[in-house]
Amino acid sequence: MTVTLGEGHTPLLHAPRLSERFGVDVWLKWEGANPTGSFKDRGMSVAVTRALEDGASGVVCASTGNTAASAAAYAARAGLEAVIVVVAGGAASSKLVQVRAVGGRVVEVEGTFTDAYAEAERLAADYGLVLVNSTNPNRIEGQKTAAFEILEQLGGLPDVLALPYGGGGNTKAYARGFLEAAGELPRLHPTEAERRVDTLASAI
């Protein structure tokens, strides 16, 4: 049984104003069109499918939001328990609403994301749950399909691919997808977001 919610096949949208502003041809892969609003859904479909095939009773992850919502939704689809470990006060409330709406269990810990991840690893080992963070190789296998789609939608390899960067799993997935399907890589620009408090304050 493939655990799916209809993820993938997301639009590649041309951005004419950005293209004009920067003097290059800019396209945006709209991964917000995935079922829980995140690119995480591609990999979670594969990870939860394999967990179900392997007879797992549930899945566990550490998350600040997107992974939590995705893991809970796909676990619910599969009829598995989902345990979501978050840092107290550190997860997006809208994503935790998604988790609870589908029956996921939220466990709060004090500290940092590293502490949450360590607790998720402990729960996986102690209770036979499958860890579905991006360290799970099946997540990478699912997420690489976005690269396949870009190649098909563009009709070839892009010159440059800019990606948000967190732990590096998504960058690894795109790289694997391009290498497998095209045999080469675009220039990759993984970028970590910077929170500008002064900018936020002036915008409120």
Side-chain angles (χ1 to χ4, degrees):
M1 170 186 172
T2 300
V3 182
T4 180
L5 293 169
E7 63 289 329
H9 307 289
T10 58
L12 186 68
L13 306 174
H14 189 242
R17 287 187 293 276
L18 285 176
S19 297
E20 182 178 0
R21 177 179 176 183
F22 295 109
V24 294
D25 200 17
V26 178
W27 294 80
L28 306 173
K29 184 67 167 158
W30 183 32
E31 290 292 88
N34 280 304
T36 74
S38 169
F39 71 88
K40 310 275 186 175
D41 293 348
R42 294 175 180 273
M44 205 61 72
S45 171
V46 179
V48 174
T49 295
R50 290 304 302 268
L52 187 64
E53 290 174 351
D54 293 342
S57 61
V59 301
V60 62
C61 69
S63 179
T64 58
N66 284 323
T67 300
S70 187
Y74 282 83
R77 183 68 162 177
L80 300 176
E81 180 184 17
V83 180
I84 311 300
V85 186
V86 300
V87 174
S93 59
S94 59
K95 293 298 181 177
L96 294 184
V97 168
Q98 287 180 264
V99 170
R100 294 187 172 104
V102 295
R105 181 160 64 94
V106 177
V107 175
E108 290 191 343
V109 299
E110 297 296 328
T112 66
F113 181 82
T114 299
D115 299 305
Y117 185 80
E119 178 63 7
E121 286 187 307
R122 185 190 70 78
L123 292 171
D126 290 354
Y127 296 99
L129 305 174
V130 173
L131 186 67
V132 291
N133 279 94
S134 58
T135 50
N136 183 315
N138 296 309
R139 283 276 309 277
I140 305 302
E141 288 300 300
Q143 285 166 216
K144 74 182 183 184
T145 59
F148 298 165
E149 289 178 19
I150 289 173
L151 288 167
E152 182 178 349
Q153 291 165 319
L154 272 184
L157 193 74
D159 296 312
V160 178
L161 179 71
L163 289 166
Y165 186 89
N170 203 37
T171 303
K172 180 178 180 180
Y174 272 91
R176 181 176 297 178
F178 283 124
L179 286 173
E180 288 185 8
E184 58 181 321
L185 293 175
R187 294 204 315 273
L188 297 175
H189 286 277
T191 304
E192 188 173 7
E194 180 184 8
R195 184 176 180 181
R196 292 294 300 277
V197 176
D198 56 340
T199 303
L200 290 173
S202 65
I204 294 175

